[in-house]
Amino acid sequence: MEQKENRQSGERTPCSVALVQRRSKSYRQSYRSCLGATSRLFTPGHATRRLNSSRRAPRPRDIKEQLDPGVLSLLTRTEWQLSYVTPLFQFRHTRLKSYARQLSAFMAAERQQGVAVEVQGEEHTYRGRFSLLPGLVEGEGEAEAVLIQLWSRPAFSRADAAEKPVWSGWFSCVRGGDDYLRSLPPDFVGLPLFCSSGAESLTATVKAWFSRHFDCSFGALPLDQDTLQWVAALWANCHLEADLRHLTLLWEIPVSPPLKVSYAVEPLDAWTLWSGVRRAPSAVEEGVIGVGEVEEFVQELKRHFHRHFRLQLSAGNLTQVSSGLGAAKSSGRVKISSSRYLVSTLSLLTECALLKMPI
Amino acid sequence: MFSNVEMAARLNASEASDSDQSSPGDQSSSTRSRNRSLRLAEKERRKNEADSFSLALKYFTEVKSGTPVVGNDDFERNLVCVEKTAYSKGLHPEAVSTMLEFAMSCRMGSSPCARVLKCLLPSSVVPQEAVVRAVVWLGISKIPVSTQILFVKWILTMFDLIDGKAQLRAIYGFIFNFVTDENLCPFICHLLYLLTRKESVRVYRVRKLLELQSKLGRQPFLLHLLSLYKVFCPELVTLSIPSRMKTGFKNYNSPWKAALVGVLKRNGSQVAQSINLLASASRKRKLGHMDLPVLAPAVNTQAVSESLCKNVVPLVQIQSFTQLLENIHQIELPAQMGSLLGSSLALQYLDCLQDESALLRMNFWLGYALHEEFLFFNNGGANQNSEEAQQFLEKLLSTQHFLQEGFSSTEAFLYKFLNVWDGALMRPQILGLMSNIPVIPSSHIGQLLFEPLIQLFFTSSLFFKCGLMECLNNMLLKWLTWHSVYALEDDLDISLNSHTSINMTLSGFKNSVMELVYFVGRLASVGLQGEDCHSLLLSFVLDFYETVCEMFLKYGLPLVVMPPPGVFYPALFATDPVSVDRLAYIMYRYKINLASAKYQEKRMEQAFHINRQTFLEFNHYAVLMVNCLWNSKMFGPGTGLELSESLLLKSKVPNYGASFHLVHHPAFLSYAVDFHQQCWPKRNDLDLNSIKQSKALGWYLEFLISQGFDGLKHFVESNISWQVTGGQGDSASTQTRGTPSPPSAPFPGQRSPDAALSFPPLLLHLFPRIHPPNSRSQAPEDTVAGVNARSQGCEAPEKDTLPYYRYYRASTPLFCTGVAAYLCLFTGQTSIPDPTPELVHLRPDNLPPQSKDREMVWKWVSSPCPSPPWLAPVSPSV
């Protein structure tokens, strides 16, 4: 009996000769499907990815020559609501005009709750306009930033009145981690950071259009403590080249009733403190700021506050950082007032957006 | 008109003052009771919430005009309380009146107005008096334009929920006056459109509207209202209305709709028809991240133009499986890959889809949805869509089940989610997803999977532990299945396959499996200790080892891993017979697998071999089991369990060596007693030892097997051979020693000079087991084996009397648990003895064919037993 069983088992083991060939379709496919992700999936610390522990100090970069002054003032005067976007499928920078037409048709259809039909020359309530934002790239192979605007006539205006932009949004990717972009198949365009400003309903409609056309998904991008601390430190670092005015940090202490602490630091004080915590730059890594320095900077600020007010700010949450260079809120609203530091701030935000990528 | 509202407010106030005094006490008691009982605490919390809510309402009723808003903590606290209630349960009609009155009267200025309006979500209906009052306030108080618009939008949204429209119609003229306000005009027109009746249409109103139209242009909202007027009174409106006019007013994406649907759904619909209305409206609203996208053809024009020339068929047009088959080469993917999840036909297509970027799109979407729902919590606290999330996960699970694989985005999500999971949220679904995780390289498996799981396992309930065991078992099963399918095709070495992107060699795979099995072994050992060897948990653990023991034969993986002592001993000393039986079965399967592996190794000269240590472990366990269940020699020297005599005496169990004999084993005790009663119905005193007599023992075993203990049957058949004579046993061993391996004997003469290091003979017990019924001979002592196996040799108390039985029952489980715990703790210290080389495997098959005894045995076994003692309880002459 046993003997028989042994023989049977011999046939079932892989080493025997006569094998039934079967197709294993799905397992192979599953590994294909994640080939972009595999490399990153198994990198150490994947489960708890964090911001880079060190980054270059922001260098002022003039993008005035590359960008239209009107657009530049739009970028720097508006407070943007941040979102992250999964890579866009089959997005072509060469087809922006046709996208604009389709978006206009879609906006009209959404208001009618119908199906978008693109008709040449028809007047829509909202007119979409797509344009490139040249210069908002740092690394190689990064997709150029794209600005989307919706123009419309005011409701009670005459037919010949000029159109006004009612909504704007733009995609960008600045120094967005070469590995990630490289691992994407060529069909995909990685523009992980999306900033929008305008009525929420319009934002939702535009996002819906993008989701349907490029099979991407939008998610809110709140800024966490670490990011805000980085922002504060990077701005303090710019004191010598730019007017910081006041570095203002807003803490919310979770007590009942809620307590908000607004903590304004004189630019010179901030700079002195910052140069105090800066470690001597080694020859190799000049201009690189480590996360330790950032933490120490904020820690010192908190300590100073505690000395005077006997209140541990560590118990609360840093919710807002603002200065002459801009403002960043934990809710994900960001204003970048200085065009010179636009690119360097965007690279930090791009990194945050990439952290949110599902795979 | 207002008396109702005031009364309600007063009523609230009195309620609030009642609960006012008790509230601080309640709060402190609620903190105390937190540990007592979750349910109690929940109840308490609800009560507190209700109290603070009525207090808040009281505050808003009574607050003096001119009270500052900035820095007013009372105001802030009360408003937060109202908001919380509104978003979770909605406001009852009186509360709606109170809050609306507060907001529109601008008692604290206009700044809180918008905020209050945003949270005005009725739980059932909106009292029309409140709306009328508010409209009146709209005329007199100084409210910013945007807030005015917000208010009219609010009325439009809640229109179906207003409990009566008569009073609103009564002030039609009053409302009509707002039409002249440029900002409010579109919304007021909409409201008027809803309120208009034939009698409201007046010449001066028509005239006013026409005047407006000439000023503003042909605005759709004016046209709509005018067209309605024309329907009622065609003689008054001479205007020609364009026939192809856009229908309907704008569908405002107001902040209330989603929240309102949620609130009404949660409250279980008191206003069923309005829900229907709202639901139809909400169908059009923006898709949430848990909603599947609609299956729609690709909208990217580039793709469309390509598709036109290529004559492709959009997936959405495929209606049947036949169509799918006919068009499978020219199917166009939908605009959003996520929509495939919603249709079963699309899943069929997904199954054979090879397009890498399409799958990547799917993974991006899926990962996004999972992340948003479970990791980022971007949906806000307002909508607790746990039901929706559960449906989503179940859909995902069934999809993965259908595809027989997990999505890589699910995998990536799980690695993150396990770190924050509480082990309770969506447990069945998450565990289900987890069991779909494909093979993880052994270098990462610890960090990605084991570390978070260890924490969850040791802090969770028994049921979580069982669930996790089941999940890991399923995971292992899937890995092994994957291996058996894959290895078959690719001739063992997976890395040879150049067109796959995974680089997993056979040894890599083996390492991963080994890690997993060891990990489960550790979990199970400690888990069983922590849960007092709970039989439910033990059952799940044994499930796992039932998979493990078959790895070689069933799945073709040259790897055998024995269970750790922390699993083996609790199973062996379990108080339920099923566990012992399953352990026996597992050991039997281990033996078959090891034997087969050994045989393969010899024959094929393959590079693989099973670790010697595994054989040693197996031998150790097997010897121990036989000693324990059969030989009544549990703690003797050389049995592997060497407890000091004094310790055993301390346990005060008489005849401890025999405590786990099949007759005395706590798991089988009831069977033994049953058997005893059936065998000797006339005996008054219970003497279990009489079962151990050779004949009775054989019957007892048959009795057990007839009760369904097949595991025991297999174990006994494969491991325990009955005593023939010492001489024959010797001869059998001599015979096998010299001959080259006959295929029938798996481990013939496997012996090297150094027995401890060589492969020992797998098992060997010469043993008195089933004696032919006519054989009266007492089983002689077995001297061949190092193990003293004697059928009656156990030094039991002279008489197993009934009182003794009672005592035994009372004490044995304790003793059992004690020994098991002791073993678990000190397994590192118990010495595993060298298996005795003299032990020879003797089974019916290897008996010399001419052996008379063998023939007799087989005759006895195969011939129908005329009267099994337990069927026909004839008292045998013992």
Side-chain angles (χ1 to χ4, degrees), chain A residues 1-3 5-6 9-10 12-15 19 21-35 41-42 44-49 84 86-87 89-90 92 95 98-99 102 111-113 118 155-156 158 180 184-185 187-188 201 204 211-215 217-220 222 257-258 356-359, chain B residues 73 182 215-216 219 221 246 250-251 253 284 286 299-302 335-337 350-351 353-354 356-357 359-361 363-365 367-368 371-372 376 378 403-405 408-409 412 415-416 419 438-441 444 447-448 482 485-486 488-490 497 499-502 552-554 556 589 592 596 600 604 606 744:
Chain A
M1 200 172 76
E2 168 113 340
Q3 198 178 339
E5 197 157 338
N6 268 341
S9 67
R12 269 192 273 162
T13 41
C15 9
L19 292 174
Q21 287 288 329
R22 282 166 57 194
R23 229 178 92 56
S24 70
K25 43 94 207 162
S26 53
Y27 289 103
R28 186 169 304 163
Q29 175 194 328
S30 79
Y31 280 94
R32 276 187 174 195
S33 65
C34 65
L35 97 158
L41 207 58
F42 295 129
H46 162 81
T48 50
R49 273 188 292 166
Y84 70 89
T86 60
F89 178 65
Q90 288 193 336
R92 301 272 176 276
R95 301 175 55 83
S98 109
Y99 293 156
Q102 290 173 44
R111 312 195 85 199
Q112 297 287 313
Q113 305 289 355
E118 192 187 335
F156 288 89
R158 301 242 162 227
Y180 188 83
L184 289 176
D187 277 340
F188 290 86
S201 57
S211 312
R212 284 194 52 194
H213 268 237
F214 307 108
D215 205 353
S217 315
F218 291 79
K356 292 273 185 183
M357 287 294 134
I359 45 175
Chain B
D73 294 330
E182 189 178 283
K215 200 173 112 195
L216 299 177
Q219 297 293 347
F221 43 86
K246 294 169 190 166
K250 250 199 305 182
N251 199 0
N253 280 327
K284 292 172 181 171
K286 192 177 74 74
V299 277
N300 213 334
T301 43
Q302 188 184 7
Q336 283 164 289
M337 283 298 288
L350 181 68
D351 195 29
L353 188 66
Q354 297 286 334
E356 182 191 304
S357 44
L359 288 166
L360 195 54
R361 277 156 69 193
N363 276 318
F364 271 127
W365 171 78
Y368 157 81
H371 277 69
E372 283 290 316
F376 301 154
N378 280 344
L403 300 174
Q404 298 182 6
E405 64 170 331
S408 61
S409 53
Y415 295 148
K416 289 184 210 164
N419 287 304
V439 189
I440 313 169
H444 303 295
Q447 191 210 1
L448 291 177
W482 177 73
V485 173
Y486 210 56
L488 277 175
E489 182 174 302
D490 300 328
N497 214 320
H499 57 266
T500 51
S501 61
I502 70 152
F552 182 76
L553 275 183
K554 207 165 162 190
R589 289 310 302 176
I592 303 280
S596 159
Q600 291 266 333
M604 310 292 291
Q606 283 281 336
S744 59

Side-chain angles (χ1 to χ4, degrees), chain B residues 747-805:
Chain B
F747 309 104
Q750 259 288 318
R751 225 174 293 153
S752 71
D754 186 357
L757 288 175
S758 72
F759 291 111
L762 192 66
L763 230 240
L764 42 51
H765 287 286
L766 289 174
F767 204 76
R769 183 207 154 203
I770 303 168
H771 286 264
N774 54 357
S775 155
R776 288 294 173 100
S777 63
Q778 297 287 330
E781 276 196 21
D782 162 33
T783 47
V784 178
V787 181
N788 269 356
R790 293 185 300 168
S791 67
Q792 302 162 318
C794 43
E795 276 73 44
E798 282 302 297
K799 268 200 153 194
D800 265 347
T801 51
L802 210 55
Y804 169 69
Y805 166 65

Side-chain angles (χ1 to χ4, degrees), chain B residues 395-501:
Chain B
K395 176 122 238 160
L396 178 59
L397 261 178
S398 69
T399 306
Q400 295 199 347
H401 182 73
F402 175 79
L403 300 174
Q404 298 182 6
E405 64 170 331
F407 291 102
S408 61
S409 53
T410 322
E411 192 190 346
F413 158 74
L414 283 173
Y415 295 148
K416 289 184 210 164
F417 185 62
L418 285 181
N419 287 304
V420 293
W421 191 32
D422 62 353
L425 182 75
M426 311 271 161
R427 183 194 298 159
Q429 288 82 15
I430 296 291
L431 286 179
L433 289 180
M434 212 162 79
S435 67
N436 281 329
I437 291 181
V439 189
I440 313 169
S442 57
S443 49
H444 303 295
I445 195 169
Q447 191 210 1
L448 291 177
L449 199 61
F450 295 166
E451 279 175 23
L453 283 185
I454 283 175
Q455 293 194 358
L456 277 171
F457 186 80
F458 294 131
T459 51
S460 299
S461 67
L462 172 72
F463 296 103
F464 178 82
K465 290 182 172 119
C466 295
L468 186 64
M469 280 295 150
E470 193 192 8
C471 157
L472 292 172
N473 185 24
N474 287 338
M475 188 192 285
L476 180 69
L477 271 174
K478 279 168 191 161
W479 289 13
L480 292 173
T481 313
W482 177 73
H483 167 78
S484 62
V485 173
Y486 210 56
L488 277 175
E489 182 174 302
D490 300 328
D491 207 17
L492 263 180
D493 195 355
I494 302 166
S495 66
L496 288 178
N497 214 320
S498 57
H499 57 266
T500 51
S501 61

